[in-house]
């Protein structure tokens, strides 16, 4: 079965420290991978995507993600966290042949303390 | 670009009433998705359309739920009759998908917060 796992429900980081939000996936073939962020009372917003090429993808708000095919992971990272980064983060995968469908993970709540 | 527009933003109604949620996707997008988000179940895909045709409705909870997309610029999600367990935030999203491949992100509306008393 095709799936996405976010093993941490919550990640707590001090402002200014690096952050990592983990994501692993299980799909057949080479998937397209996405990260989204959700702020309170808002819809999900696209952050970045991996399609092909360089394993390190840069996105909005200083975020980046590293694609690791051997570990089937796509972890979200940021070198220096801001309090305003506090939100709910979703990893998602679009398997080839899915006709636009995206499978979302369960979400990780990121909390940045001042 | 106005983004995906959903209405109403909030809806409070009594059990047994019919509820209709509306969505206007981004112009030019050919795929439209309806999701439901709750604390208990997270984000669930209910149904999605491609070129106004329903492709996968396996996530629709039961016959009380129905969705239509009469044209490329409008979709509705209807619940009849509504029940308290339908209380959730319902999101509409749109994207551009070509054939069976989609490397384009989905764009979400800000949702409808539905409360069934």
């Amino acid at each position: 079965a095709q799936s996405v796992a976010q093993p941490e429900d919550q990640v707590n980081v001090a402002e200014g420290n690096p952050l990592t939000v983990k994501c692993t996936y299980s799909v057949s073939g080479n998937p397209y991978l996405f990260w989204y962020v959700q702020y309170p009372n808002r819809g999900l917003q696209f952050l970045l995507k991996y399609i092909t090429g360089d394993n390190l993808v840069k996105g909005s708000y200083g975020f980046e993600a590293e694609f690791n095919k051997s570990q089937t992971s796509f972890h979200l990272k940021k070198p220096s966290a801001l309090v305003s980064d506090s939100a709910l983060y979703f990893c998602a995968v679009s398997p080839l042949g899915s006709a636009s469908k995206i499978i979302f993970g369960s979400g990780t709540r990121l909390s940045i303390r001042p | 670009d106005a983004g995906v527009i959903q209405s109403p933003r909030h809806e409070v109604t009594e059990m047994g009433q019919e509820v209709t949620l509306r969505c206007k996707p981004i112009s030019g997008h050919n795929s439209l998705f309806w999701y439901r988000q709750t604390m208990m179940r997270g984000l669930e895909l209910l149904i999605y359309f491609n070129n106004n045709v329903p492709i996968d409705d396996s996530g629709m909870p039961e016959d009380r739920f129905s969705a239509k997309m009469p044209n490329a610029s409008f979709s509705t999600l209807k619940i009849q009759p509504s029940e308290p367990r339908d209380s959730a935030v319902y999101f509409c999203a749109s994207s551009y998908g070509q054939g069976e491949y989609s490397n384009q992100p989905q764009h979400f509306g800000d949702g409808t917060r539905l409360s069934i008393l």
Side-chain angles (χ1 to χ4, degrees), chain A residues 56-97:
Chain A
L56 186 65
V57 180
K58 294 188 184 298
S60 306
Y61 310 122
F63 283 93
E64 56 191 26
E66 187 169 12
F67 171 65
N68 187 317
K69 187 172 183 178
S70 63
Q71 296 186 4
T72 61
S73 67
F74 189 55
H75 301 331
L76 182 70
K77 301 181 179 184
K78 187 173 182 181
S80 179
L82 299 173
V83 172
S84 57
D85 293 330
S86 299
L88 187 58
Y89 289 81
F90 290 91
C91 180
V93 60
S94 177
L96 295 183

Side-chain angles (χ1 to χ4, degrees), chain A residues 5-12 19-23 35-38 76 85-91 105-111:
Chain A
Q6 293 181 244
E8 302 154 317
D9 290 336
Q10 174 124 5
V11 171
N12 300 308
L19 69 88
T20 298
V21 183
K22 295 179 181 177
C23 171
W35 275 101
Y36 288 79
V37 60
Q38 185 180 27
L76 182 70
D85 293 330
S86 299
L88 187 58
Y89 289 81
F90 290 91
C91 180
S106 56
T108 298
R109 188 162 299 281
L110 178 64
S111 178

